[in-house]
Amino acid sequence: MEMQMELSYVFAVVITGLVVVFLGLVLLIAFISLIGAFFKKADQNKKAAKSEKSDAAPAQKTAPAAVKPVQAADDDEVIAVISAAVAMMSETDGTVYRIKSVRAASNGVPARNAWASAGLRESTNPF
């Protein structure tokens, strides 16, 4: 009981399959493009609203926030290490540097704990 398929039937099935697959891909590309256009428009609206808000109410200059001193248990050790680094720089440059104060650096970005920093380093290492 062998089944013999006609050649035209085989070609019809193959062509139908290819058309369905490529039509699905075209629809997927169109959908992703529409989503991208939607988010671009939303981003432009946010930027426009932000610029209108900044134009309407000029920003008031405020004094910088008070810098908190380093609150580590081993402040003396940290200062000693910083002093040693500065002394080494002054020795190599041939000039005399002086430390006036030591304070924690703050870029407005919250500091990460050691585990978060290690995870970030591990996930962004090149291969």
Side-chain angles (χ1 to χ4, degrees), residues 67 70 103-107:
V67 178
V70 177
R103 62 177 184 224
S106 173
N107 304 10

Side-chain angles (χ1 to χ4, degrees), residues 80-95 97:
V81 169
I82 293 170
S83 301
V86 170
M88 187 60 96
M89 280 179 32
S90 67
E91 185 177 307
T92 58
D93 289 348
T95 58
Y97 295 112

Side-chain angles (χ1 to χ4, degrees), residues 5-39:
M5 288 192 214
E6 291 182 25
L7 195 56
S8 63
Y9 178 72
V10 171
F11 282 129
V13 169
V14 169
I15 297 298
T16 302
L18 288 173
V19 167
V20 167
V21 167
F22 282 105
L23 184 65
L25 288 174
V26 168
L27 289 174
L28 187 61
I29 290 170
F31 178 72
I32 290 173
S33 297
L34 286 173
I35 294 286
F38 172 75
F39 282 115

Side-chain angles (χ1 to χ4, degrees), residues 53-90:
K53 186 177 180 182
S54 65
D55 290 343
Q60 296 177 353
K61 291 187 177 183
T62 59
V67 178
K68 295 184 220 172
V70 177
Q71 295 294 327
D74 50 0
D75 286 343
D76 295 335
E77 291 177 12
V78 172
I79 293 172
V81 169
I82 293 170
S83 301
V86 170
M88 187 60 96
M89 280 179 32
S90 67

Side-chain angles (χ1 to χ4, degrees), residues 2 12 36 41 50 59 68 72 80 87 99-100 103 113 123-124 127:
E2 281 184 39
K41 183 71 172 172
K50 188 175 183 180
K68 295 184 220 172
I99 299 174
K100 289 185 177 181
R103 62 177 184 224
N113 63 20
S123 63
T124 56
F127 294 104

